Amino acid sequence: MAKEKKLQYDVAVIGGGPAGLAAALAAYDNGAKKVAMIERAGELGGILDQCIHNGFGLHYFKEELTGPEYAYRFIKKVEETKIKVYLNTMVTDITHEREITAYSEHYGQLKISAKAIVLAMGSRERTRGALNIPGQRPAGIFTAGTAQRLVNIEGYMPGSTVVILGSGDIGLIMARRMTLEGAKVEAVIELLPYSGGLQRNIVQCLNDFNIPLYLSHTVTQIHGHSRVTGITYAKVDENRQPIAGTEKYIACDTLLLSVGLIPENELSKKCGVQLDPITGGPIVDQRMQTHVPGVFACGNVAHIHDLVDYVTEEGMLAGKNAARAARGKLKTPKKLLTVIPGDNVRYVLPQLIAKKKAKKVQISFRVAGPMERGKLSVLYDVTSGKSKTRKHLAPGEMERVGLEAKLLKKTKQNVTIQVKERK
Amino acid sequence: MKKNFDVIIIGAGTSGGMAARALSRYQLNIAIIEKTADAGGGTSKANSGIVHGGYDAKPGTLKARLNRQGTEMMETVCRQLDVNYKKNGSMVVAFDSDDMAALKELYDRGIENGIPGLSIIDHVKAKNLEHNLSDDVVGALLCESSGIVNPYELAVGAVENAVMNGASVFFDTEVTGIKPEKDSITVITDKGEFSARYLVNAAGVYGGAVAAMFGETVKITPRKGEYLLYDQAVSNVVSHTIFQTPSKMGKGILVTPTVEGNMLLGPTSENIEDKDDFSTTRSGLKSVLDIAKKSVPDLTLSGVITSFAGLRAVPEGGDFVIRPSETDGRIIDCIGIESPGLSSSPAIGEYVLALLQDAGLKAPLNEAYQPNNEKRLRFSQLSDEERAKAIAENPKYGHIVCRCETVTEGEIIDAIHRPAGATTVDGVKHRTRAGAGRCHGGFCSPVVMEILSRELGIPMEEIRRTDNGSWIVNKKTKA
Amino acid sequence: MTIKEQTITCTVCPKGCRVTVTYDDNGEVKKITGNSCSRGEKYARNELVDPKRVLTSTVRVVGGVKPVVSVKTDAPVSLKKMMECMTAINTLRPNAPVKMGEVLMQNIAGTSANVVATSETETA
């Protein structure tokens, strides 16, 4: 007879990265007695464990930490609680009724039922296939995150001469990291006319080491039978199509891809959560609750963040509300307000506002294109709130705006976030 | 020292593997010599994976006969070799009256070839069977006996079965010369000399080059076909394999589910020179989608997890070249195995055996012959109860390594330690699907490397993705 | 005497202010604008003369559960000295266990910064 363990928790958090850590702690601190955190890796911390560079925690801790240090502060706190941590354990299924199936070598098959679930599985990297780069299929093509793991966790070099496609933050960080470890990074190539990464990473990871960044370029061909021997890159036109005659060749043995992250929502879909086609994550209200009652989402599962500090905040919000939901204290009114991405705004989160008791509502958003100066304003139905000027707006940097409680209270239908360019 | 065998087969693809398997029913000392790192490392690894009905080949040809026989055998062979196979049926769709006339010809040819389950259906019936077909489809040739199979599993399974029954396989071994002598044939490789009484040339796109080594001229042209493979999330677009009616404009692009439930579009068709050119092209991939949209208009690039190219070994005369060599009767050519080669492969194996027997090969039956490969545990296909039971027996089945395809460490260890097991990251992928999903190995490949390193006792720096030179990491940091 | 101008992206915090530094031929700073805080002003001034960064890397551990632990310098070090610091870090071979915050090397490459562990490992 197969042994099946049936376990009951108030709050079960799927994922032990920064979002999951914050959610589990917040749930625990807000009265959830039985909290479980399920992590597929052998350690808590998630992607932070391999992000050994500094720059984490400036908002949350008001000091600059490395990724592992940032995670460590939360892991230590978790160790002081009675939160049950399942490591090396992979969740394979979540039902609408919040029944979780998970597997591990140590625990075998786990069946967990939870009063509330927080989805905090993070994201995965976009691959070459998703980009459809033509050419051979040699070894030596890595996503930047895989290379980061090989170098920082496993202690191996994925190559000696490197080209990086995409100027996402992990790619920029890896440009510096590979250089410091003795590799030659020939170039970072970016399809768009602007970088997708944080400005400080352009300065500290590329400029500091004289690594060229080719904007409005792309890799048009990968060469090499067994291992990468080089790449061809070319300028692109305004439609992002390669311009014939502008091709150049770079000899290299490694191509790193840093072309974006995709929220991992295979499990979310299994339990019936509705996804936002733009963020790629669940549609949530200001309490981070999805359309499925008692199921919450936070961190990169919900939308891709560039700063872990905000992931932590979001995790805490989700965890706190999950604890309330577990106690039956989270009411969702029938009528929800819709938050709409207006002019020059690509997406907003939360997408919904459960109006009852909505107090301090913070909206995260990204602009559609870079803007030196922009006028940010919020429309409450048709009433305009106070507008603010924001500088250096870029799609690579998440923006946030707090809603005005007074105006929100009067709102009947929707809230629109919009940005107008200011010359 | 020269290694001596009764029969040497050059090439561990589906044809070579099936030939070796057929031969292993007899007490014979068999060697398979393979240039790449794994079974199915050439043409077998990248094709449409279709088990064709058999209406397409010209009546009276080897293709027609072996296709019909192979397709008949496929279900049994796949069960024996533990290979994923599904009889999903195919449709050749027509867009105008010329196409309909061509379908009629195909239908008649199919009847002549003895193919069961053929019918011509109209627009309404076609749309009923496949809702996502274009409204421009006026009719279709339905073939119920057509199926889909995992092509590299078939090659790997055949070689595994041959090795299990006593054959030897030498991977990463490139044949550089062949010397037919009076009592034996010497095969010179980069790993030393082999000799045998009989030789089978199943070298795929290199079939012509190998034939030249024993003095025979056969022209085999590599023909490249590019494909787009989609995430399993994009399933249920079609359930049948959808071909377009072959015309002056070409054979068209097929839209098919794979046996694992991904969607596959392709192939293009381009004759090339380089026998190792597996590169995709911007124009090729664009044309795959553009032409496929003629059949299924709603297709987009969204959901593509990878693109790849395969090489078909195209013979000059249009038919398979399976015959005793003109230069030496002890050598059997088994080349030019283009489509429907995969479908024909079980029959090709039997035919090669028969030709060798005609050439004088005699041996008693191998009493210990075991037609069935040891059944693999496929965790993703098990019920919750079966999973719990598997983990109770071996906890390594509780460690899910590949999250996209739900592949466990237990399955990876098994794939490594099977006869002719996996030695590379792609070898693991082809046997278990670890790394074949939407993240395409981003998360699991470092873990797969560690498992390979541990189980094979080789350092990480020596773990390859595929063939020699396909290293993944080249040194330790701080070294 | 000519007056020069250089715009520096401040990296003290993720805000990324564009700070413009005006200076003369002698390198004497005349004016700093665009910064939102005093740290930004100091950063821009340093950036002109001798940019400094916290260096992060890994160190190979002997006998640990993990092959490497991550490390950082506990103070920013001159960019000019970065490769020299890396050479020193690459030779470090601490024995397991290594604890979070443990100083693994003092005064790296004469910078007065120490190399400290930012992760930890048990003994294998």
Side-chain angles (χ1 to χ4, degrees):
Chain A
M1 270 295 285
K3 215 168 45 187
E4 195 181 88
K5 305 172 183 79
K6 272 203 179 141
L7 300 157
Q8 305 244 329
Y9 287 96
D10 294 328
V11 177
V13 180
I14 319 296
L21 284 164
L25 283 167
Y28 188 82
D29 289 343
N30 283 278
K33 288 198 181 68
K34 290 195 73 185
V35 179
M37 189 163 20
I38 310 168
E39 165 57 43
R40 56 195 158 208
E43 280 186 71
L44 294 176
I47 207 70
L48 286 173
D49 292 345
Q50 68 183 53
C51 296
I52 65 164
H53 55 281
N54 64 334
F56 300 90
L58 279 163
H59 292 266
Y60 192 77
F61 291 113
K62 310 289 177 220
E63 64 178 304
E64 195 163 39
L65 302 171
T66 64
E69 290 173 311
Y70 187 94
Y72 188 80
R73 296 200 174 187
F74 292 93
I75 295 167
K76 281 287 141 191
K77 279 192 191 164
V78 167
E79 284 171 2
E80 290 162 12
T81 68
K82 286 179 186 154
I83 296 170
K84 171 68 185 171
V85 178
Y86 295 93
L87 293 176
N88 292 308
T89 305
M90 181 84 80
V91 174
T92 57
D93 195 35
I94 303 173
T95 68
H96 192 269
E97 288 68 39
R98 299 184 304 279
E99 303 282 341
I100 299 166
T101 307
Y103 293 92
S104 91
E105 194 176 331
H106 183 75
Y107 301 105
Q109 187 180 60
L110 290 170
K111 292 277 184 183
I112 294 172
S113 97
K115 290 178 188 157
I117 289 176
V118 180
L119 304 169
M121 294 86 71
S123 58
R124 65 171 182 271
E125 295 174 278
R126 211 179 285 279
T127 63
R128 175 194 180 181
L131 298 174
N132 243 323
I133 311 169
Q136 300 274 9
R137 310 191 51 73
I141 306 165
F142 302 85
T143 56
T146 304
Q148 189 177 43
R149 169 172 171 164
L150 285 168
V151 176
N152 293 347
I153 304 283
E154 319 273 337
Y156 289 95
M157 289 296 281
S160 305
T161 25
V162 184
V163 169
I164 299 174
L165 174 62
S167 59
D169 286 314
I170 318 171
L172 301 176
I173 293 290
M174 282 313 288
R176 172 175 65 186
R177 189 73 192 101
M178 295 289 285
T179 305
L180 287 172
E181 289 297 333
K184 174 92 180 82
V185 178
E186 300 287 355
V188 175
I189 296 169
E190 171 60 55
L191 180 71
L192 299 175
Y194 51 88
S195 162
L198 295 171
Q199 188 58 35
R200 65 182 258 135
N201 287 335
I202 306 265
V203 175
Q204 295 194 350
C205 301
L206 301 188
N207 301 356
D208 279 2
F209 298 92
N210 299 314
I211 298 167
L213 169 63
Y214 302 129
L215 297 173
S216 296
H217 280 74
T218 194
V219 172
T220 56
Q221 189 84 25
I222 296 168
H223 308 272
H225 282 300
S226 313
R227 176 79 193 191
V228 173
T229 54
I231 58 103
T232 302
Y233 70 104
K235 262 189 194 151
V236 296
D237 61 22
E238 58 273 20
N239 298 317
R240 301 178 193 175
Q241 293 303 306
I243 302 169
T246 64
E247 293 90 354
K248 284 182 189 157
Y249 178 82
I250 303 178
C252 60
D253 61 21
T254 305
L255 175 66
L256 300 189
L257 304 175
S258 178
V259 288
L261 300 172
I262 306 167
E264 273 224 308
N265 279 291
E266 275 61 40
L267 285 173
S268 321
K269 284 185 225 163
K270 284 187 181 175
C271 69
V273 160
Q274 281 185 42
L275 302 185
D276 177 332
I278 309 293
T279 59
I283 294 170
V284 292
D285 64 21
Q286 84 277 20
R287 291 119 19 132
M288 304 309 288
Q289 185 170 239
T290 67
H291 275 108
V292 180
V295 176
F296 297 78
C298 57
N300 277 358
V301 137
H303 62 137
I304 301 303
H305 293 66
D306 24 74
L307 294 176
V308 72
D309 306 66
Y310 295 148
V311 170
T312 297
E313 274 186 30
E314 223 174 75
M316 300 216 146
L317 189 59
K320 184 178 128 189
N321 287 308
R324 288 170 61 198
R327 291 200 310 272
K329 299 270 185 207
L330 195 81
K331 299 277 183 291
T332 299
K334 279 196 186 110
K335 183 96 182 82
L336 292 164
L337 300 181
T338 311
V339 188
I340 299 171
D343 290 350
N344 294 312
V345 174
R346 199 163 74 84
Y347 77 73
V348 292
L349 189 130
Q351 296 90 337
L352 299 171
I353 297 171
K355 209 182 149 191
K356 212 176 175 191
K357 288 189 182 175
K359 280 181 209 144
K360 279 188 194 163
V361 179
Q362 179 99 251
I363 307 288
S364 301
F365 68 94
R366 282 180 195 271
V367 291
M371 222 181 268
E372 261 316 300
R373 282 160 73 84
K375 190 180 101 173
L376 163 66
S377 62
V378 181
L379 274 182
Y380 300 84
D381 289 330
V382 289
T383 316
S384 193
K386 279 183 214 133
S387 66
K388 297 161 196 157
T389 301
R390 295 261 170 113
K391 283 195 232 170
H392 317 306
L393 292 160
E397 309 201 6
M398 193 178 89
E399 298 286 330
R400 305 204 303 174
V401 59
L403 298 186
E404 294 167 61
K406 261 192 203 160
L407 290 172
L408 185 60
K409 211 173 168 188
K410 291 181 200 151
T411 309
K412 297 271 184 290
Q413 300 289 335
N414 48 48
V415 173
T416 307
I417 313 295
Q418 55 188 24
V419 180
K420 299 233 160 75
E421 188 151 19
R422 250 191 191 163
K423 299 286 171 195
Chain B
M1 214 183 66
K2 207 187 271 190
K3 300 183 184 80
N4 296 304
F5 295 92
D6 294 317
V7 184
I8 288 175
I9 297 163
I10 301 174
T14 318
S15 302
M18 287 293 180
R21 178 178 187 241
L23 284 162
S24 73
R25 295 206 303 270
Y26 295 86
Q27 291 180 33
L28 288 167
N29 203 358
I30 304 156
I32 312 167
I33 300 178
E34 169 59 43
K35 185 169 84 84
T36 72
D38 203 353
T43 295
S44 305
K45 80 172 171 193
N47 58 68
S48 312
I50 308 297
V51 181
H52 292 276
Y55 49 78
D56 198 27
K58 211 167 115 192
T61 59
L62 265 181
K63 275 186 178 176
R65 193 181 89 212
L66 296 173
N67 187 168
R68 178 175 49 76
Q69 291 174 351
T71 297
E72 274 170 16
M73 295 164 76
M74 194 60 80
E75 193 164 351
T76 306
V77 166
C78 286
R79 195 174 56 242
Q80 290 174 333
L81 299 181
D82 191 23
V83 170
N84 277 329
Y85 163 81
K86 188 180 174 191
K87 198 181 273 186
N88 67 321
S90 70
M91 280 161 79
V92 186
V93 295
F95 298 98
D96 55 33
S97 56
D98 284 357
D99 283 358
M100 284 306 284
L103 285 193
K104 181 71 174 61
E105 258 175 61
L106 280 180
Y107 174 84
D108 291 344
R109 219 189 286 167
I111 297 300
E112 200 177 339
N113 285 342
I115 308 307
L118 285 178
S119 59
I120 289 183
I121 57 174
D122 63 9
H123 169 82
V124 176
K125 179 105 191 278
K127 284 281 282 189
N128 273 342
L129 288 172
E130 293 291 353
H131 304 296
N132 292 315
L133 276 186
S134 163
D135 289 337
D136 297 338
V137 168
V138 295
L141 172 66
L142 180 67
C143 175
E144 286 160 10
S145 59
S146 171
I148 41 182
V149 68
N150 181 320
Y152 33 74
E153 268 190 8
L154 193 61
V156 165
V159 171
E160 177 180 323
N161 191 249
V163 171
M164 204 176 92
N165 286 303
S168 306
V169 62
F170 301 89
F171 291 121
D172 294 311
T173 305
E174 185 172 359
V175 174
T176 55
I178 294 166
K179 278 191 295 186
E181 286 144 1
K182 190 166 164 287
D183 298 318
S184 68
I185 303 157
T186 296
V187 176
I188 305 155
T189 78
D190 60 350
K191 300 276 165 65
E193 293 192 359
F194 296 71
S195 84
R197 295 189 291 132
Y198 294 90
L199 182 69
V200 177
N201 171 15
V205 287
Y206 282 90
V210 166
M213 292 179 194
F214 50 81
E216 192 183 13
T217 309
V218 198
K219 186 158 171 55
I220 302 293
T221 308
R223 181 175 293 167
K224 188 155 81 177
E226 299 182 36
Y227 291 91
L228 290 171
L229 184 73
Y230 288 73
D231 194 323
Q232 283 168 349
V234 191
S235 59
N236 305 326
V237 174
V238 293
S239 62
H240 293 74
T241 300
I242 310 296
F243 298 98
Q244 296 167 344
T245 309
S247 70
K248 286 182 294 253
M249 303 301 290
K251 287 190 78 174
I253 294 290
L254 65 83
V255 180
T256 188
T258 67
V259 76
E260 281 80 23
N262 301 84
M263 181 173 68
L264 182 70
L265 313 186
T268 54
S269 185
E270 182 199 359
N271 288 350
I272 57 169
E273 294 292 321
D274 185 349
K275 299 181 194 69
D276 293 311
D277 178 6
F278 287 91
S279 65
T280 53
T281 61
R282 197 167 287 270
S283 58
L285 295 175
K286 186 176 181 307
S287 76
V288 166
L289 183 66
D290 289 349
I291 300 173
K293 282 172 87 152
K294 214 179 145 190
S295 308
V296 182
D298 292 342
L299 295 171
T300 67
L301 276 181
S302 136
V304 170
I305 51 175
T306 190
S307 56
F308 62 89
L311 296 180
R312 289 158 275 176
V314 179
E316 219 166 9
D319 201 4
F320 296 153
V321 182
I322 310 176
R323 57 163 195 219
S325 161
E326 290 155 6
T327 61
D328 192 321
R330 300 169 297 174
I331 301 175
I332 306 297
D333 280 319
C334 176
I335 54 181
I337 314 297
E338 59 175 335
S339 178
L342 186 71
S343 323
S344 309
S345 62
I348 290 174
E350 294 303 321
Y351 188 48
V352 169
L353 168 67
L355 289 175
L356 281 166
Q357 286 169 330
D358 288 350
L361 177 70
K362 281 191 189 66
L365 280 172
N366 174 6
E367 303 290 346
Y369 174 75
Q370 171 53 260
N372 300 322
N373 283 349
E374 199 188 320
K375 206 155 170 51
R376 287 183 292 161
L377 190 140
R378 297 178 197 245
F379 192 80
S380 68
Q381 295 175 10
L382 300 184
S383 67
D384 279 10
E385 292 71 30
E386 291 168 323
R387 287 177 175 185
K389 188 164 165 275
I391 300 166
E393 281 164 21
N394 178 1
K396 292 282 181 201
Y397 286 113
H399 178 204
I400 297 173
V401 172
C402 169
R403 62 177 80 159
C404 304
E405 297 288 319
T406 323
V407 181
T408 63
E409 184 176 353
E411 291 165 272
I412 295 169
I413 294 173
D414 175 54
I416 295 168
H417 293 302
R418 285 183 159 256
T423 59
T424 62
V425 171
D426 269 11
V428 168
K429 177 167 98 174
H430 288 165
R431 285 167 179 79
T432 65
R433 292 190 60 75
R438 54 184 69 89
C439 90
H440 237 65
F443 287 112
C444 69
S445 61
V447 185
V448 169
M449 287 169 71
E450 275 171 35
I451 297 170
L452 278 165
S453 168
R454 183 188 74 210
E455 296 295 319
L456 298 172
I458 53 175
M460 289 280 275
E461 298 92 312
E462 285 174 29
I463 302 292
R464 296 173 295 164
R465 202 185 80 143
T466 52
D467 301 336
N468 278 327
S470 64
W471 54 273
I472 301 170
V473 295
N474 59 356
K475 61 182 179 201
K476 283 189 166 132
T477 56
K478 324 287 162 187
Chain C
M1 188 169 275
T2 52
I3 298 292
K4 289 176 197 152
E5 223 181 66
Q6 195 180 332
T7 301
I8 291 158
T9 304
C10 178
T11 60
V12 170
C13 82
K15 226 171 167 179
C17 292
R18 313 305 200 268
V19 185
T20 304
V21 187
T22 316
Y23 56 100
D24 66 16
D25 286 350
N26 302 324
E28 196 181 314
V29 175
K30 295 287 179 196
K31 198 169 75 180
I32 296 180
T33 55
N35 52 306
S36 344
C37 68
S38 61
R39 288 187 302 167
E41 182 183 331
K42 192 175 159 207
Y43 175 83
R45 203 178 284 273
N46 280 336
E47 203 64 0
L48 210 63
V49 192
D50 179 21
K52 289 188 172 74
R53 306 277 183 261
V54 168
L55 172 62
T56 60
S57 185
T58 53
V59 161
R60 198 158 281 278
V61 181
V62 179
V65 174
K66 301 178 195 166
V68 293
V69 290
S70 53
V71 295
K72 69 174 182 184
T73 56
D74 62 3
V77 297
S78 169
L79 253 187
K80 295 168 205 154
K81 285 236 172 186
M82 219 149 253
M83 280 322 209
E84 202 182 320
C85 289
M86 276 306 293
T87 309
I89 284 174
N90 288 348
T91 60
L92 278 175
R93 291 288 184 277
N95 288 314
V98 175
K99 288 284 161 210
M100 175 68 83
E102 192 176 325
V103 176
L104 299 177
M105 180 186 243
Q106 290 185 325
N107 188 21
I108 184 169
T111 59
S112 81
N114 303 317
V115 176
V116 298
T118 58
S119 65
E120 48 185 42
T121 183
E122 302 292 326
T123 308

